[in-house]
């Protein structure tokens, strides 16, 4: 696979017998080179400064990453419902919002070295044991390991560890 063939920026030829490759950049390369790094952004917000438009545009990646998490990393998957009723759509969006809020809260408390998949795996590995002591419910976390301990420590959940 040659990049130039895909983008029509490179003229090349190969002589297999002489084992020679000859190439040169085309005029298309010059045009693409001049446009590299230029991203036109069109908006209907006439009252916004260029900085505000650019900042808002580039924040879309954060939003796209969050929606990606709803399919990939959330502990409780919130796949889109196949419903058309307004109240059910609103309920689904509410669950997505709550899930993303919880996920962001957890992620901020954890070290930056943990990936989304590692966080999800650690959450899935934790077990909660509920027991009664007299008339009082007791909650304890079980199935502790290296991954889950980071999560528990960062979230200040040590009080729920078994003694």
């Amino acid at each position: 696979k040659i990049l130039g063939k895909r983008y029509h920026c490179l003229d090349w030829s190969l002589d297999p017998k002489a084992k020679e490759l000859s190439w040169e950049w085309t005029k298309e390369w010059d045009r693409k080179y001049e446009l590299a790094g230029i991203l036109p952004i069109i908006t209907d917000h006439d009252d916004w400064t260029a900085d505000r438009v650019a900042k808002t545009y580039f924040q879309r990646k954060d939003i796209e990453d969050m929606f990606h998490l709803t399919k990939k990393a959330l502990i409780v998957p919130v796949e889109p419902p196949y419903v058309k009723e307004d109240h059910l759509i609103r309920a689904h969006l509410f669950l997505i919002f709550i899930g993303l809020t919880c996920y962001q809260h957890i992620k901020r408390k954890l070290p930056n070295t943990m990936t989304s998949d590692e966080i999800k795996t650690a959450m899935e590995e934790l077990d909660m044991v509920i027991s009664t002591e007299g008339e009082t419910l007791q909650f304890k976390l079980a199935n502790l390991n290296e991954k889950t301990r980071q999560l528990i420590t960062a979230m200040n959940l040590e009080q729920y560890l078994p003694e």
Side-chain angles (χ1 to χ4, degrees):
K1 293 181 181 179
I2 304 283
L3 178 70
K5 286 291 184 188
R6 180 170 179 203
Y7 294 103
H8 312 287
C9 296
L10 186 64
D11 281 334
W12 61 276
S13 64
L14 176 65
D15 182 354
K17 289 183 181 177
K19 295 184 181 178
E20 282 187 14
L21 173 68
S22 58
W23 60 274
E24 68 179 17
W25 296 113
T26 65
K27 288 185 180 183
E28 182 69 10
W29 166 257
D30 293 336
R31 190 183 73 76
K32 289 189 179 193
Y33 182 79
E34 288 297 319
L35 292 175
I38 297 173
L39 177 66
I41 302 172
I42 300 168
T43 181
D44 59 352
H45 292 282
D46 297 335
D47 55 331
W48 285 15
T49 64
D51 284 345
R52 184 174 180 192
V53 171
K55 186 176 181 181
T56 303
Y57 175 79
F58 287 110
Q59 286 175 337
R60 83 186 192 302
K61 184 180 180 327
D62 297 335
I63 295 166
E64 289 169 359
D65 289 347
M66 289 296 106
F67 277 107
H68 178 70
L69 284 173
T70 64
K71 295 181 181 175
K72 182 178 175 222
L74 287 182
I75 290 42
V76 178
V78 282
E79 293 295 323
Y82 297 100
V83 296
K84 294 181 181 174
E85 290 126 39
D86 187 58
H87 70 284
L88 294 175
I89 294 169
R90 288 175 187 267
H92 175 70
L93 291 174
F94 175 74
L95 290 175
I96 289 173
F97 176 76
I98 294 299
L100 292 174
T101 302
C102 291
Y103 176 80
Q104 282 301 316
H105 177 72
I106 292 168
K107 190 155 175 99
R108 281 192 187 107
K109 296 270 187 179
L110 291 170
N112 287 339
T113 57
M114 284 188 82
T115 66
S116 296
D117 288 336
E118 290 171 335
I119 295 169
K120 181 180 180 182
T121 301
M123 292 292 285
E124 287 173 341
E125 288 178 9
L126 275 176
D127 289 328
M128 167 99 37
V129 177
I130 303 171
S131 62
T132 58
E133 194 171 294
E135 293 185 18
T136 308
L137 285 175
Q138 299 291 318
F139 299 92
K140 296 292 178 191
L141 296 169
N143 197 20
L144 290 165
N145 59 37
E146 185 93 14
K147 294 176 193 172
T148 57
R149 187 163 299 280
Q150 277 188 31
L151 191 68
I152 290 167
T153 304
M155 299 299 296
N156 297 321
L157 297 174
E158 290 91 353
Q159 67 189 33
Y160 298 105
L161 293 175
E163 293 146 3

